[in-house]
Amino acid sequence: MGDDSLARYPNYNDSKWRILNLPHDWSIEGSFSEKNPTTQAEGGLPAGIGWYRKTLVIPASAKDKQVFIDFDGIYRDSEVWINGYYLGKRPNGYISFSYELTPYLKFGQKNTIAVRVDNAAQPNSRWYSGSGIYRNVWLTRLNKVHFVKWGTFVTTPQINAASATININSSVTSAPNGSLLKTTVYDEKGKIVASNIATITNTTINRQIEINDPIFWSPKHPYLYKIKLQIIQGDKVLDDYSINTGIRSFIFDAKKGFSINGIHTKIKGVCLHHDLGALGATVNTDAIKRQLQLLKDMGCNAIRTSHNPPAPEFLDLCDKMGFMVMDEAFDMWAKKKSKHDYHEDWDKWHKQDLTDQILRDRNHPSVIIWSIGNEIREQFDTTGITIARELVGIVKGIDNTRPVTSALSENDPSKNFIYKSGALDLIGLNYHQDYYADFPKNYPGQKFIATETMSALETRGFYDQPADTTRHWPTSAKAPFKGNPQLAVTAYDNVAAYWGSTHEETWKIIKKHDFLSGLFIWTGFDYIGEPSPYPWPARSSYFGIIDLAGFPKDVYYMYQSEWTNKPVLHLLPHWNWEPGQIIDVWAYYNQADEVELYLNGKSLGIRKKEGDDLHVSWKVKYEPGILKAVSRISGRIVLTSEVHTAGPPAKIALIANKHILKADGKSLSYITIKILDKDGNIVPDADNLVKFNISGPAHIAGVDNGAQASLESFKAKQRRAFHGLCLAIIQSAPKTGIVKLKATAQSLQPAEIRLMIN
């Protein structure tokens, strides 16, 4: 940490520097403080300037090769040197980029790469960004004849049930006489389904290949083919390049909404920022996969990358797991939202950054929409027309197979200059849900997507009574705000930011009209930063359907009951209250006609959804015991759900999402810690301090509990439970063995869990 201009030189003494592994985010390792210049909007964690150095030997045998260093993302203002030679600067913290090292390398000798990362100019973001080389870095060694980076574009211009035409356009560095391009297509089992060989006559090669009886890619069946391209000269393979592709067609229609492969489908999406909770911005495939699996289990089928290009691993997983993606470029254009944000770099860098994003991501079947911006301030003046047309032109010049949108916060078409540009294929509206039903009248002939919706607020496990009134916190931008002293928001779905709605309000509208192609909910997960509506010490958002630790809030089960075919019966709240207190009891359910509620064996009545209801409810006079719900269809029991009054905390339980990890230094196991009473019930108000002791080839990568106003370190070896739960994230070492994690808390029976690293 800190700044030393001499660190760029090979002979600099870095012997006292910390040795670490990439990816790395130094901000998440720091302490929360309202005095940090990042401000509460970025979570109050430190930023600053840091240097990275790596010394490596490139073997002498590689002297006839070309060597590149590829960065997936550095936040932000990165500068790179090799052996003291300056390679360049990249201000954008979310973009991927490369430098060629070849001219400056000493083959067979030590070479030093130095990277300066400058995240000191603050504030520069409206959410937690992290700091450092937080995405992966690759050293790429190639023959001089090779496929150009991001120079291959795969499209499927003709698709039907009998066959699919795959068009492959590739750029190569040169075309030696007699060289051939071999194209091979494999199915998911590795079987060759098509191949051909052609002579390379130009540095740009366009080939078509036919696949019989294609299997289509969709969110329900994310089938991927692998295309392998090889440059061959004689009996030598000069370069090979593999890419996954999905065969799918989709359409947005002004009247019928969205269809994929000819099947009408609602886009049931969420917005996601890039942080991974306690890991911060550090990219980890297991962490991303856990987030996506939780969303998949909820019934989510789409993600908006808010408000920036994502990590490559994220899109790879969306391809494999079946998520449609709105791939977003910018949160601002030339007009700022934060003092030192990307507007300072706009004029010089926006063309290059947008070009690189589209080139990098255009082959992902998951990507179905390009977004050129979010709530851009140029909506409100004529510069919005010029810039929107320029940006859409850049996108269309690289990829004309997907629609382009911009997330518009001004819903009046007569006042929105980005809309007036006429450049958008798809009209994306943020909020203003009361106007959705009149969209065909206000935007005649236009296609619709709700790019950002809800901004509902909840804290997991916290419940205000009564729950039958919808509230906006605060009521307007200028209104004074008084919330709960616990800095918490009730987990009943009845509180939203003044610009948004509850979850039920907007989903009822979207599901009603075919021309409303779908929505993206703000947000899938809580994220670090933007803790509206609360002041410090709140440091994380309240918007998520799932909390920062990855524990679902109650509304998760509303979506699961609406968006999946799995039977659902979810009962809330907990059952620890004051005797005689009147409690609102809600149930989310599906695949049933009715739900009957019982308290200690006595029926409290049957409830049925009426009209467009998404839950049923009862007012219950509290008495300790067992609250039980039974759902039925035609008199047959579908599901039973119980909530028990819990006694005092007595013991700890540990539950791992994975018991076997790879010895790769990256694999994660998420350990849920539950505080239970003597009978095994979660204690809903338990806040015991849980301490962790770990042995074996692994370490604790992070701890959390989902509390939005906790200032405990994410990197500690202890964590307070929050409403009975907390989390420890275990990361493997590059070594095999048995890992033991022991959790202890004062006056509680401890627990231990074992993991295998192999």
Side-chain angles (χ1 to χ4, degrees):
M1 288 300 300
D3 197 12
D4 186 343
S5 61
L6 298 179
R8 71 188 68 178
Y9 297 113
N11 59 357
Y12 180 87
N13 184 3
D14 59 13
S15 60
K16 294 183 179 179
W17 284 24
R18 171 185 168 195
I19 296 173
L20 51 77
N21 292 321
L22 297 180
H24 170 248
D25 170 12
W26 77 66
S27 290
I28 202 68
E29 301 171 351
S31 299
F32 294 101
S33 174
E34 60 182 329
K35 296 180 181 179
N36 280 326
T38 52
T39 74
Q40 184 195 26
E42 297 178 51
L45 286 164
I49 297 173
W51 282 82
Y52 297 84
R53 284 165 54 90
K54 183 173 180 66
T55 299
L56 68 163
V57 174
I58 306 295
S61 59
K63 65 182 179 180
D64 293 328
K65 307 289 186 181
Q66 283 185 279
V67 183
F68 300 84
I69 188 165
D70 305 325
F71 295 95
D72 287 345
I74 302 175
Y75 202 90
R76 64 187 300 270
D77 276 328
S78 67
E79 295 179 278
V80 183
W81 290 262
I82 175 70
N83 295 331
Y85 293 96
Y86 186 64
L87 295 176
K89 179 177 182 177
R90 207 64 187 248
N92 190 320
Y94 300 103
I95 207 70
S96 299
F97 57 95
S98 299
Y99 297 113
E100 185 175 359
L101 305 181
T102 320
Y104 315 105
L105 289 174
K106 301 173 184 178
F107 290 95
Q109 303 177 48
K110 289 183 178 180
N111 297 270
T112 300
I113 300 169
V115 180
R116 181 181 185 268
V117 184
D118 185 354
N119 195 22
Q122 293 289 340
N124 63 40
S125 179
R126 299 187 301 116
W127 58 87
Y128 177 78
S129 65
S131 300
I133 307 178
Y134 72 103
R135 291 181 181 170
N136 278 305
V137 186
W138 309 93
L139 192 70
T140 305
R141 192 169 66 197
L142 296 167
N143 290 319
K144 290 181 180 178
V145 177
H146 60 261
F147 292 100
V148 174
K149 183 179 178 67
W150 303 335
T152 296
F153 187 25
V154 178
T155 56
T156 50
Q158 294 180 330
I159 301 172
N160 57 53
S163 67
T165 300
I166 298 179
N167 191 79
I168 306 164
N169 188 284
S170 292
S171 295
V172 297
T173 54
S174 61
N177 290 335
S179 57
L180 303 174
L181 173 67
K182 182 178 181 180
T183 304
T184 310
V185 183
Y186 301 85
D187 66 14
E188 283 198 337
K189 295 180 180 179
K191 179 184 176 183
I192 295 175
V193 294
S195 66
N196 64 31
I197 297 177
T199 301
I200 299 175
T201 58
N202 203 308
T203 55
T204 300
I205 314 158
N206 193 65
R207 296 295 300 160
Q208 286 192 342
I209 195 164
E210 298 286 331
I211 294 179
N212 295 323
D213 302 318
I215 300 174
F216 295 155
W217 185 98
S218 71
K220 291 184 178 179
H221 189 206
Y223 193 92
L224 295 174
Y225 291 90
K226 184 172 109 173
I227 300 174
K228 186 174 184 179
L229 304 173
Q230 294 175 301
I231 302 171
I232 300 172
Q233 191 171 41
D235 58 355
K236 291 183 179 180
V237 176
L238 300 182
D239 194 24
D240 62 65
Y241 176 68
S242 293
I243 190 167
N244 289 330
T245 192
I247 298 172
R248 85 286 187 267
S249 62
F250 63 88
I251 188 169
F252 287 88
D253 185 86
K255 294 181 179 179
K256 299 178 182 179
F258 178 75
S259 296
I260 186 165
N261 302 324
I263 301 171
H264 184 264
T265 303
K266 280 288 186 189
I267 294 174
K268 302 167 184 174
V270 301
C271 302
L272 285 184
H273 274 313
H274 74 303
D275 80 65
L276 295 168
L279 302 180
T282 304
V283 163
N284 182 283
T285 300
D286 279 0
I288 298 170
K289 188 173 182 179
R290 175 181 180 251
Q291 281 196 340
L292 292 177
Q293 190 61 57
L294 283 164
L295 293 170
K296 193 79 174 176
D297 291 344
M298 186 182 80
C300 174
N301 65 12
I303 308 290
R304 176 189 178 208
T305 67
S306 312
H307 304 290
N308 44 260
E313 293 85 352
F314 179 87
L315 293 179
D316 288 341
L317 284 169
C318 287
D319 291 344
K320 294 173 184 175
M321 297 177 69
F323 287 91
M324 299 177 288
V325 175
M326 177 189 293
D327 198 342
E328 193 154 70
F330 305 115
D331 187 44
M332 74 295 297
W333 293 349
K335 294 188 175 182
K336 68 181 179 182
K337 293 182 179 179
S338 302
K339 184 177 181 180
H340 294 293
D341 64 23
Y342 185 72
H343 83 279
E344 295 181 337
D345 307 301
W346 177 262
D347 289 343
K348 183 177 180 180
W349 284 103
H350 73 273
K351 293 179 183 178
Q352 183 71 60
D353 288 342
L354 182 58
T355 296
D356 286 350
Q357 177 187 354
I358 307 304
L359 286 173
R360 189 197 71 169
D361 295 349
R362 61 184 174 170
N363 288 316
H364 288 278
S366 57
V367 176
I368 63 164
I369 304 169
W370 300 115
S371 170
I372 55 173
N374 171 65
E375 298 185 352
I376 298 299
R377 293 190 170 178
E378 283 85 348
Q379 288 175 96
F380 306 106
D381 66 69
T382 55
T383 61
I385 294 176
T386 305
I387 298 175
R389 288 174 178 171
E390 179 203 11
L391 298 181
V392 173
I394 292 170
V395 175
K396 295 292 188 179
I398 302 168
D399 173 26
N400 63 2
T401 69
R402 297 172 174 91
V404 181
T405 192
S406 184
L408 306 176
S409 52
E410 173 54 71
N411 72 303
D412 185 339
S414 67
K415 297 179 180 179
N416 195 307
F417 288 90
I418 295 178
Y419 170 70
K420 286 183 176 183
S421 73
L424 302 180
D425 303 304
L426 190 59
I427 305 305
L429 295 183
N430 285 9
Y431 307 104
H432 299 293
Q433 63 279 352
D434 293 339
Y435 293 85
Y436 290 174
D438 291 331
F439 181 85
K441 180 175 69 176
N442 296 328
Y443 294 84
Q446 297 291 334
K447 303 163 187 176
F448 170 94
I449 183 70
T451 37
E452 189 171 315
T453 59
M454 280 59 166
S455 279
L457 307 166
E458 292 100 4
T459 297
R460 175 188 54 79
F462 181 84
Y463 304 95
D464 277 339
Q465 303 295 335
D468 48 10
T469 302
T470 298
R471 290 166 279 167
H472 290 272
W473 283 11
T475 55
S476 72
K478 298 180 180 180
F481 169 66
K482 290 185 178 180
N484 292 309
Q486 302 93 332
L487 301 182
V489 184
T490 181
Y492 293 109
D493 178 30
N494 65 351
V495 181
Y498 66 86
W499 60 83
S501 76
T502 66
H503 290 278
E504 292 195 10
E505 285 175 322
T506 295
W507 172 238
K508 287 178 182 179
I509 298 168
I510 295 292
K511 69 182 288 191
K512 185 177 181 181
H513 302 284
D514 282 348
F515 62 82
L516 300 177
S517 60
L519 83 173
F520 291 91
I521 298 162
W522 193 263
T523 53
F525 281 73
D526 283 347
Y527 53 93
I528 304 170
E530 203 173 30
S532 176
Y534 281 111
W536 190 265
R539 48 74 175 151
S540 294
S541 80
Y542 294 74
F543 299 117
I545 299 169
I546 302 167
D547 76 14
L548 196 68
F551 301 138
K553 302 176 187 179
D554 291 287
V555 76
Y556 178 95
Y557 301 97
M558 185 276 282
Y559 285 111
Q560 195 174 65
S561 71
E562 286 285 295
W563 288 3
T564 76
N565 293 322
K566 65 183 74 173
V568 174
L569 176 59
H570 178 74
L571 196 59
L572 65 145
H574 61 74
W575 205 239
N576 279 56
W577 301 94
E578 295 296 322
Q581 188 176 358
I582 302 300
I583 305 301
D584 282 316
V585 176
W586 287 19
Y588 296 121
Y589 72 96
N590 64 3
Q591 299 187 27
D593 302 322
E594 63 185 31
V595 178
E596 187 167 7
L597 186 69
Y598 299 84
L599 178 56
N600 295 327
K602 180 181 178 181
S603 176
L604 301 181
I606 292 172
R607 298 287 187 270
K608 300 180 180 182
K609 294 178 188 177
E610 298 180 357
D612 59 0
D613 286 348
L614 299 180
H615 74 271
V616 293
S617 63
W618 299 258
K619 287 191 175 293
V620 180
K621 186 176 182 180
Y622 175 73
E623 63 180 56
I626 300 174
L627 194 67
K628 182 173 77 169
V630 178
S631 61
R632 302 186 184 94
I633 185 167
S634 302
R636 176 179 59 83
I637 293 176
V638 177
L639 289 174
T640 299
S641 178
E642 293 185 354
V643 182
H644 293 230
T645 300
K651 56 187 177 181
I652 299 171
L654 302 179
I655 301 171
N657 75 328
K658 283 195 302 184
H659 287 86
I660 301 174
L661 303 181
K662 295 179 181 178
D664 58 5
K666 299 178 183 294
S667 295
L668 302 179
S669 179
Y670 283 78
I671 313 295
T672 298
I673 296 93
K674 296 183 177 181
I675 307 299
L676 308 177
D677 68 6
K678 63 179 180 60
D679 297 319
N681 301 304
I682 292 180
V683 182
D685 59 353
D687 62 355
N688 305 73
L689 179 64
V690 182
K691 297 182 178 181
F692 304 108
N693 182 271
I694 189 169
S695 63
H699 70 279
I700 298 172
V703 292
D704 198 1
N705 59 15
Q708 292 123 332
S710 171
L711 300 184
E712 298 170 275
S713 170
F714 289 124
K715 297 298 181 180
K717 291 187 178 180
Q718 61 184 32
R719 191 70 173 194
R720 286 199 174 276
F722 181 64
H723 297 142
L725 299 176
C726 62
L727 178 77
I729 307 169
I730 307 305
Q731 186 168 354
S732 70
K735 184 180 177 182
T736 61
I738 301 295
V739 173
K740 298 178 184 178
L741 179 73
K742 187 173 184 180
T744 60
Q746 189 173 4
S747 303
L748 299 186
Q749 180 182 330
E752 183 176 285
I753 195 167
R754 294 188 177 199
L755 308 175
M756 180 177 290
I757 314 294
N758 65 14

